[in-house]
């Protein structure tokens, strides 16, 4: 079973995403900010980290930097999401796919699948 | 610190005080979130960094989607200029101390000079006691002072009173929607403000794609100093037979009230003052409520007043506002800002009654009118206000407003109809004219393709004339 770590400071969105992904058959971990996400990852290595960009404590960019800086996490796929125009983020972080909030469920599932299938290779 | 909300800085006597803690209170939908965002993007554009912390269920994506069409919204400011985070979970798990820690830390991390806390009511509910809540506000104030950020806390109102816990903050702004019959309008009131005299009372605001726009209550913002001494210049209508009644003319910058029933010639007579102004090279303004500009110009052209070219070249300005659901202070703003912007010297407000209908509180009209004429006097604009009297005929002199307007206006003209020998005639009388001699006789005037012409005085008594059912005594003018 593939494991996805969902990171979002908005509780409602975090819970909704977790439920949707669980229903789709994934194992889901949650964290409400980057630092919590790092704690979760230390406990259980996810296949994909789906992370929001603006968050308290440790934000999306900082989380991504930490994940990429840790060789043990090199195989973890990344997928960003933000209410901010992700066009600029895609330019700034060319290696990471982004979901523009608000998104619909099929788009989410498609992107998650794509990230899981191809993410490791692109990060390699 | 400017709020970026048009009119609000004027109400706040310059804006918010830096490092202050403010509460914006109002029911859901009152415009609190919009106001706070408008402030953030305004300050963000000027280089400030703003932190927007929500404690509510509404997602940031939805909030941003709602603002996408607003003129002030600028996605380029995200996320550096305006940064959104949720404090909901922290509050749930760690209570007010945890939230306070999050606020302090995030302000520092983002080097924010503005903090918005949207959903203070959640924090209040999470507080164990009102003492804990007060402590939270106090500690936030201390943090704002130390870290030099200005905090805006948004909270739903629960009832007509403002919570006693709020009184320790530097300012409280209340937003509300009022309803009367089927009509509703929005109001802003400053309930408390440290560090400056704000404009007292209730101010109207509206929400459009521009965001919030506050229209400070005219009576509150009117200058208290004495208006400039009346100009020695005089103003004429440019109708020889009319100007002959008061050869010295109207004092420049004075206000004239022109009373009369519908159809008595108010629009044409008032417009002739503007037509003469245009001839003299003065910028003029017509503000009307009934006839659309095209129709008005057509009507004036039919009696020899062709103002179309003056409109095209920007010497004659027309502000047209259909008399539906307008707001008194918005009208005053339209009028005064146009006068100021274009250096208007002559103004004709065709329909003081329509303005009166814009006021939910009719008793306000007298003080409003006094303030409006005062401002126009400062701007040195000679103004005529037409005011419709409800009675078409009759001896009773109807004054549709309270005594205020007629006392405030320097000049008072009265137009009326009489039926005489099977013909409807128009009569003019001057009741009052400040600083000038005038002919007080009752005069008939006629309107033709050549314009208005005032007839010689009746040379015999028409003792029943003012009943509107006149009979001619032998020997009157033809």
């Amino acid at each position: 079973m593939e494991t996805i770590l969902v990171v979002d400071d908005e509780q409602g969105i975090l819970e909704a995403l977790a439920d949707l992904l669980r229903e789709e058959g994934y194992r889901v971990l949650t964290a409400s900010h980057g630092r919590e996400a790092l704690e979760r990852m230390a406990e259980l290595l996810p296949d994909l980290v789906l992370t929001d960009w603006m968050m308290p404590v440790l934000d999306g960019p900082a989380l991504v930097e930490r994940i990429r800086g840790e060789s043990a996490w090199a195989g973890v796929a990344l997928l960003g999401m933000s209410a901010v125009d992700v066009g600029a983020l895609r330019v700034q972080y060319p290696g990471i796919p982004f979901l523009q909030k608000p998104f619909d469920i099929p788009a989410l599932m498609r992107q998650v699948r794509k990230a899981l299938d191809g993410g490791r290779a692109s990060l390699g | 610190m400017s709020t970026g909300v048009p009119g609000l800085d004027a109400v706040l006597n310059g804006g918010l005080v830096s490092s202050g803690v403010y509460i914006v209170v109002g029911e859901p939908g009152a415009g609190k979130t919009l106001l706070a965002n408008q402030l953030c993007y305004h300050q963000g554009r000027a280089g400030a960094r703003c932190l927007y912390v929500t404690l509510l269920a509404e997602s940031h994506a939805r909030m941003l989607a709602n603002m996408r069409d607003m003129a002030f919204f600028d996605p380029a400011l995200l996320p550096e200029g305006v940064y959104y985070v949720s404090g909901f979970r922290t509050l749930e798990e760690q209570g007010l101390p945890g939230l306070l820690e999050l606020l302090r830390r995030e302000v520092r991390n983002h080097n924010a000079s503005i903090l918005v806390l949207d959903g203070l009511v959640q924090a209040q509910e999470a507080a164990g006691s009102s003492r804990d809540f007060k402590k939270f506000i106090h500690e936030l104030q201390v943090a704002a002072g130390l870290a030099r950020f200005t905090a805006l806390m948004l909270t739903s109102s629960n009832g007509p009173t403002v919570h006693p816990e709020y009184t320790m903050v530097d300012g409280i702004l209340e937003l509300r929607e009022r309803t009367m019959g089927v009509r509703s309008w929005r109001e802003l009131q400053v309930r408390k403000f440290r560090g400056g005299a704000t404009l007292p009372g209730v101010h109207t605001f509206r929400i459009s794609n521009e965001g919030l726009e506050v229209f400070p209550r005219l009576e509150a913002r009117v200058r208290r100093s004495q208006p400039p001494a009346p100009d020695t210049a005089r103003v004429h209508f440019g109708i020889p037979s009319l100007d002959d009644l008061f050869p010295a003319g109207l004092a420049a910058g004075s206000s004239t009230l022109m009373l009369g029933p519908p159809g008595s010639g108010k629009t044409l007579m008032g417009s002739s003052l503007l037509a003469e102004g245009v001839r003299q090279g003065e910028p003029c303004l017509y503000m009307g409520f009934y006839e659309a500009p095209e129709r008005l110009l057509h009507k004036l052209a039919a009696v020899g007043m062709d103002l179309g070219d003056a409109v095209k070249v920007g010497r004659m300005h027309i502000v047209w506002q259909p008399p539906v659901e307008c707001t008194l202070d918005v009208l005053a703003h339209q009028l005064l800002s146009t006068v100021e912007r274009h250096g208007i010297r002559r103004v004709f407000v065709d329909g003081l009654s329509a303005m009166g209908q814009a006021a939910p509180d009719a008793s306000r009209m007298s003080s409003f009118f006094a303030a409006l004429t005062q401002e126009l006097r400062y701007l040195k604009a000679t103004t005529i206000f037409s005011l419709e009297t409800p009675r078409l005929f009759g001896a009773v002199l109807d004054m549709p407003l309270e005594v205020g307007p007629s006392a405030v206006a320097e000049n008072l003209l009265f137009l009326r109809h009489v039926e005489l020998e099977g013909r409807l005639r128009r009569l003019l009388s001057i009741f009052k004219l400040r600083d000038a001699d005038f002919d007080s006789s009752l005069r008939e005037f006629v309107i033709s393709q050549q314009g208005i012409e005032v007839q010689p005085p009746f040379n015999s008594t028409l003792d029943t004339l003012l009943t509107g059912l006149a009979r001619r005594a032998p020997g009157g003018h033809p």
Side-chain angles (χ1 to χ4, degrees):
Chain A
M1 188 188 278
E2 288 162 309
T3 304
I4 301 173
L5 169 59
V6 186
V7 195
D8 199 314
D9 60 330
E10 291 189 77
Q11 185 74 5
I13 290 175
L14 186 65
E15 284 168 8
L17 289 177
D19 284 350
L20 285 167
L21 291 167
R22 273 190 200 110
E23 277 171 29
E24 200 69 10
Y26 298 107
R27 178 191 291 141
V28 179
L29 310 171
T30 60
S32 58
H33 51 71
R35 192 189 292 165
E36 213 179 278
L38 293 173
E39 286 166 14
R40 295 276 171 284
M41 287 180 74
E43 293 160 11
L44 181 66
L45 192 66
D47 299 288
L48 168 71
V49 175
L50 169 60
T51 181
D52 188 24
W53 223 238
M54 285 191 285
M55 290 183 297
V57 188
L58 192 75
D59 62 12
L63 174 62
V64 164
E65 196 183 327
R66 296 282 283 274
I67 293 173
R68 285 186 155 175
E70 183 65 61
S71 57
W73 292 337
V76 178
L78 296 170
L79 175 55
M81 56 180 171
S82 186
V84 170
D85 179 16
V86 298
L89 296 179
R90 285 187 184 121
V91 175
Q92 215 174 338
Y93 302 90
I96 303 172
F98 281 94
L99 269 166
Q100 177 74 60
K101 280 182 176 179
F103 44 76
D104 56 23
I105 299 168
L108 168 74
M109 294 309 171
R110 220 170 29 242
Q111 286 275 45
V112 163
R113 194 62 259 157
K114 206 170 147 191
L116 279 168
D117 291 344
R120 283 164 231 211
S122 78
L123 276 175
Chain B
M1 192 183 79
S2 168
T3 59
V5 176
L8 183 55
D9 291 350
V11 169
L12 299 178
N13 192 25
L16 300 176
V17 178
S18 288
S19 308
V21 173
Y22 297 92
I23 283 182
V24 181
V25 61
E27 286 164 11
K32 306 183 292 291
T33 297
L34 200 57
L35 184 149
N37 274 292
Q38 203 168 339
L39 169 89
C40 287
Y41 287 91
H42 173 71
Q43 287 290 332
R45 254 191 301 277
R49 286 164 162 256
C50 310
L51 176 68
Y52 200 112
V53 181
T54 59
L55 298 176
L56 300 163
E58 188 188 33
S59 75
H60 299 152
R62 179 172 291 188
M63 191 190 282
L64 292 178
N66 290 341
M67 277 183 306
R68 218 156 281 273
D69 295 332
M70 294 286 172
F72 64 78
F73 181 71
D74 183 358
L77 292 172
L78 293 163
E80 269 74 29
V82 190
Y83 197 91
Y84 294 87
V85 297
S86 170
F88 181 81
R89 177 139 170 202
T90 306
L91 180 65
E92 291 275 290
E93 288 175 357
Q94 300 165 37
L96 288 184
L99 177 64
L100 190 68
E101 192 199 323
L102 176 132
L103 297 177
R104 284 200 203 112
R105 187 186 49 227
E106 293 305 309
V107 163
R108 205 170 47 239
N109 285 351
H110 295 279
N111 196 18
S113 59
I114 290 162
L115 165 70
V116 174
L117 183 60
D118 194 348
L120 184 67
V121 74
Q122 311 282 342
Q124 194 166 9
E125 280 167 11
S129 65
S130 73
R131 197 167 163 274
D132 287 348
F133 185 63
K134 274 187 187 166
K135 189 165 168 258
F136 168 76
I137 292 181
H138 174 69
E139 286 176 357
L140 191 68
Q141 270 178 312
V142 171
L146 286 173
R148 303 229 169 273
F149 64 86
T150 308
L152 214 61
M153 300 190 281
L154 319 183
T155 186
S156 313
S157 57
N158 44 359
T161 53
V162 166
H163 264 276
E165 288 93 331
Y166 298 165
T167 54
M168 54 201 294
V169 298
D170 297 294
I172 302 172
L173 309 185
E174 189 179 354
L175 307 182
R176 54 181 177 244
E177 189 164 13
R178 295 273 309 272
T179 309
M180 185 187 278
V182 294
R183 216 182 132 181
S184 69
W185 64 97
R186 294 173 190 273
E187 289 177 352
L188 173 140
Q189 187 171 9
V190 181
R191 301 295 290 262
K192 174 199 168 97
F193 202 81
R194 271 188 201 142
T198 57
L199 294 184
V202 170
H203 312 282
T204 312
F205 72 95
R206 70 179 175 198
I207 292 177
S208 67
N209 279 359
E210 302 295 310
L212 259 77
E213 281 176 278
V214 179
F215 297 91
R217 192 168 61 95
L218 185 63
E219 300 92 302
R221 77 179 173 95
V222 75
R223 285 168 262 212
R224 300 282 170 215
S225 57
Q226 215 172 315
D231 208 313
T232 48
R234 309 299 286 194
V235 172
H236 295 91
F237 280 78
I239 302 167
S241 57
L242 176 60
D243 291 332
D244 282 351
L245 300 182
F246 44 99
L250 302 173
S254 66
S255 42
T256 301
L257 196 58
M258 188 164 61
L259 293 143
S264 57
K266 298 186 297 298
T267 298
L268 294 185
M269 194 162 287
S271 299
S272 62
L273 187 87
L274 304 184
E276 171 64 5
V278 166
R279 275 193 291 273
Q280 302 289 332
E282 298 174 0
C284 297
L285 167 66
Y286 175 93
M287 185 180 199
F289 302 88
Y290 303 108
E291 280 147 318
E294 278 303 311
R295 205 168 140 201
L296 171 82
L297 289 173
H298 189 73
K299 177 175 166 172
L300 297 180
V303 293
M305 279 187 267
D306 196 349
L307 293 170
D309 288 345
V311 170
K312 278 189 204 121
V313 301
R315 183 170 297 157
M316 168 85 183
H317 300 264
I318 299 181
V319 171
W320 180 61
Q321 171 70 52
V324 284
E325 304 248 338
C326 34
T327 308
L328 212 47
D329 292 295
V330 177
L331 294 175
H333 173 77
Q334 274 181 314
L335 172 57
L336 294 170
S337 62
T338 309
V339 169
E340 217 158 359
R341 199 165 53 241
H342 301 291
I344 302 285
R345 306 314 303 259
R346 298 183 186 214
V347 180
F348 176 30
V349 179
D350 198 5
L352 193 56
S353 351
M355 262 195 170
Q357 281 160 17
D361 175 12
S363 67
R364 192 190 155 190
M365 265 320 269
S366 290
S367 55
F368 173 82
F369 186 73
L372 185 62
T373 50
Q374 170 92 334
E375 276 304 291
L376 287 164
R377 232 166 266 146
Y378 275 108
L379 297 171
K380 298 186 172 180
T382 310
T383 309
I384 297 190
F385 294 91
S386 78
L387 179 55
E388 206 149 87
T389 52
R391 203 179 296 257
L392 286 175
F393 300 101
V396 178
L397 174 61
D398 297 296
M399 181 58 95
L401 292 176
E402 289 171 33
V403 70
S406 56
V408 168
E410 280 111 334
N411 316 310
L412 205 53
L413 304 183
F414 195 46
L415 310 187
R416 53 197 333 192
H417 285 127
V418 287
E419 205 174 273
L420 179 61
E421 294 169 342
R423 190 157 72 84
L424 192 65
R425 292 162 190 254
R426 292 185 171 92
L427 298 185
L428 159 74
S429 44
I430 302 171
F431 277 20
K432 180 170 96 169
L433 204 65
R434 195 164 290 171
D435 302 327
D437 291 331
F438 60 94
D439 183 337
S440 61
S441 64
L442 194 62
R443 297 293 194 96
E444 180 177 1
F445 67 97
V446 291
I447 297 169
S448 69
Q449 285 178 349
Q450 280 72 49
I452 291 171
E453 186 165 2
V454 178
Q455 304 290 314
F458 294 99
N459 54 13
S460 64
T461 313
L462 284 174
D463 56 356
T464 56
L465 193 63
L466 289 181
T467 64
L469 303 165
R471 282 186 302 278
R472 184 187 294 286
H477 88 75

